Amino acid sequence: MYHILMITWMCFGQDDLYQAFLRLGHKVSTLPLPEEGHKRVDEEYIAGLKQELDSLKPDFVFTFNFFTTIAQACRDKGCRYISWIYDSPYSKMLYPEVLYETNYVFVFDSYMCDHMRKQGAETVYYAPLAVNPQRMCSVPITEEDRERYEVDISFVGALYNEKYRFFERLCSKSDPYTIGYLEALIMAQTDVYGYDIMEKCLTKDIVERIERSMPYETPEGFLAPASHIYSNYYLARKVTEIERTFMVEMLSEKFQMYLYTLDENVKVGRAVNKGKAVYMVDMPKIFRLSKINMNVTGKSIHTGIPLRAMDIMGCGGFLLTNFQEDFFRHFEPDVDFVYYTSFEEMLDKAAYYLSHDEEREKIRRSALDRMMREHTFEVRINEMFQIAAG
């Protein structure tokens, strides 16, 4: 068994991860990550962490997401640093510090793993996200909950129209030609799954035009070109906003639908906006009491399975999702989940499964069984430790 220093911050799944470490018999020390630790370089924080490493002598340092300050302290002390990325996009994992030989960086998007490996990042590995089905399925359901959450179709997630309006800010500063080119590119990518058009079509001329309007500074040795940043931070968010809004509009015109999103005042189609869903409290109930749970993956996630989809299946919910390649590595379509490749197919499959209760129930149960066997925190921890300890 190992001694783990778990550096904590405000993120999903942290308590589930901690409890899984304990259930596996590991010793766990925790240390909060202050704001200074989020910076690329903070010598005072690095010095303090190195003192903690000298005192505790852990076998591994572990965090959700990758932090350069922690990587530097661990490299200086020869301590193995395991980070598990669950955000996308996440520019810190492209910093040159990711190449330190003491790092073990696990990413849930196989596309990004392959991309970074091609850049020489031998410290990067693929690991899908995980859940705690036991906790989520044990959340009690009351009659009041049934009245509040039972619905034909639900969607939980941001519409990306609330904040960080990167594309709109870019357009406000750009010339008409650049705006027209980017708008056409966004529309071409919309409703196209499994293939990234945008980054490949950001030519040198277009990137230079964007940089003049909204420069984005990256450190020397950054493991991606500027086109990657503009595609995944600026354009992908806009595509996701369009797709999610269109999905809600189309489904809510034909079916009873609840929307759980950050802006409780936004109106989309005929969906009933229920406002924000609390991750630990509301979401397990929503996923279990909705006949169909929708997932529209953010376009910056190229092939990976997003946390929302894993949570839905780990709660015992029925998942209808857009096509994502990594699903087929771990799950069987029409057995564990159902996917669509166009909005028209989405409508057809939603109608079919709403009218076929037994088939829907069989898929829901199959997904939960697989999650409990293959995608718990304990399973994933053992897989990561096998790599890091080898």
Side-chain angles (χ1 to χ4, degrees):
M1 296 299 103
Y2 298 112
H3 179 195
I4 302 145
L5 173 58
M6 183 176 173
I7 299 183
T8 61
W9 57 285
M10 294 293 291
C11 61
F12 296 127
Q14 192 162 257
D15 187 61
D16 287 330
L17 179 66
Y18 176 83
Q19 295 298 329
F21 282 141
L22 296 181
R23 284 193 294 271
L24 289 169
H26 299 297
K27 177 183 177 182
V28 185
S29 300
T30 61
L31 189 68
L33 180 68
E35 189 63 33
E36 293 77 15
H38 288 260
K39 299 176 183 176
R40 186 186 175 203
V41 178
D42 186 275
E43 296 297 344
E44 184 177 348
Y45 173 75
I46 293 170
L49 180 54
K50 284 159 58 170
Q51 289 181 352
E52 293 288 346
L53 295 176
D54 284 336
S55 173
L56 295 170
K57 294 181 172 53
D59 296 299
F60 300 106
V61 172
F62 200 109
T63 61
F64 273 122
N65 286 348
F66 174 78
F67 299 94
T68 56
T69 46
I70 298 172
Q72 290 182 47
C74 288
R75 180 200 58 175
D76 292 348
K77 288 299 177 179
C79 181
R80 291 170 290 186
Y81 173 32
I82 300 175
S83 56
W84 191 6
I85 310 298
Y86 79 82
D87 273 334
S88 178
Y90 188 68
S91 62
K92 288 189 178 75
M93 65 186 263
L94 298 168
Y95 282 19
E97 288 86 352
V98 81
L99 301 175
Y100 294 162
E101 62 182 12
T102 46
N103 292 333
Y104 295 86
V105 182
F106 293 90
V107 298
F108 73 97
D109 188 335
S110 65
Y111 171 94
M112 282 305 299
C113 181
D114 293 343
H115 166 82
M116 296 185 70
R117 284 273 175 169
K118 290 175 183 176
Q119 304 302 313
E122 297 181 359
T123 57
V124 175
Y125 305 85
Y126 170 68
L129 298 172
V131 298
N132 182 356
Q134 186 175 21
R135 173 187 61 78
M136 293 192 292
C137 291
S138 65
V139 175
I141 301 293
T142 66
E143 285 303 314
E144 183 180 354
D145 291 330
R146 293 187 181 280
E147 292 180 8
R148 181 177 179 183
Y149 298 115
E150 278 190 335
V151 69
D152 285 347
I153 301 176
S154 69
F155 174 68
V156 179
L159 296 177
Y160 289 119
N161 60 356
E162 295 94 350
K163 58 180 180 178
Y164 305 126
R165 308 279 287 178
F166 292 141
F167 181 71
E168 284 74 12
R169 286 159 52 194
L170 173 62
C171 288
S172 70
K173 300 179 180 181
S174 297
D175 61 275
Y177 175 82
T178 303
I179 295 171
Y181 186 96
L182 296 179
E183 287 179 341
L185 192 53
I186 285 170
M187 294 312 299
Q189 182 70 74
T190 300
D191 203 19
V192 173
Y193 306 106
Y195 187 77
D196 177 20
I197 298 171
M198 295 185 294
E199 185 172 351
K200 294 177 176 64
C201 291
L202 287 180
T203 64
K204 181 180 178 181
D205 173 62
I206 290 295
V207 169
E208 288 175 351
R209 288 168 177 265
I210 296 172
E211 287 179 325
R212 287 196 292 270
S213 302
M214 291 190 70
Y216 189 101
E217 293 186 11
T218 57
E220 184 177 352
F222 194 71
L223 299 179
S227 58
H228 179 87
I229 291 296
Y230 290 122
S231 172
N232 286 280
Y233 276 87
Y234 291 72
L235 305 187
R237 293 180 69 92
K238 188 63 180 178
V239 175
T240 304
E241 176 190 343
I242 293 170
E243 287 186 345
R244 290 184 177 179
T245 301
F246 196 36
M247 175 271 293
V248 174
E249 287 175 345
M250 292 185 72
L251 288 170
S252 66
E253 286 299 318
K254 293 180 175 292
F255 311 107
Q256 178 197 33
M257 186 172 189
Y258 288 167
L259 168 66
Y260 298 86
T261 194
L262 299 176
D263 184 355
E264 63 184 13
N265 297 313
V266 68
K267 177 69 175 174
V268 184
R270 300 177 65 183
V272 178
N273 187 341
K274 295 277 194 170
K276 183 178 179 180
V278 178
Y279 183 78
M280 297 290 285
V281 179
D282 297 325
M283 282 208 287
K285 299 177 181 180
I286 294 167
F287 295 153
R288 287 163 62 189
L289 294 173
S290 301
K291 291 180 180 179
I292 292 177
N293 294 281
M294 296 302 304
N295 173 64
V296 178
T297 307
K299 268 297 189 284
S300 62
I301 303 174
H302 297 271
T303 61
I305 306 172
L307 181 59
R308 178 188 300 102
M310 300 296 268
D311 282 336
I312 289 168
M313 293 185 288
C315 285
F318 177 93
L319 172 65
L320 177 56
T321 178
N322 64 282
F323 172 87
Q324 289 285 111
E325 183 179 324
D326 288 349
F327 271 107
F328 300 87
R329 290 173 171 247
H330 308 283
F331 302 96
E332 187 174 348
D334 301 324
V335 174
D336 303 314
F337 74 105
V338 176
Y339 74 96
Y340 62 87
T341 57
S342 69
F343 286 120
E344 291 73 20
E345 185 181 17
M346 173 193 73
L347 289 174
D348 289 343
K349 289 190 173 181
Y352 178 85
Y353 283 103
L354 284 175
S355 62
H356 290 76
D357 295 345
E358 290 185 8
E359 291 183 45
R360 193 179 68 245
E361 178 69 11
K362 185 177 180 180
I363 291 171
R364 180 192 72 79
R365 288 185 176 276
S366 178
L368 179 58
D369 288 344
R370 190 180 293 271
M371 293 298 295
M372 296 182 76
R373 291 194 314 269
E374 302 175 14
H375 299 288
T376 65
F377 281 99
E378 288 89 341
V379 168
R380 204 67 75 238
I381 287 168
N382 286 334
E383 291 172 350
M384 289 189 281
F385 280 1
Q386 187 174 4
I387 292 171

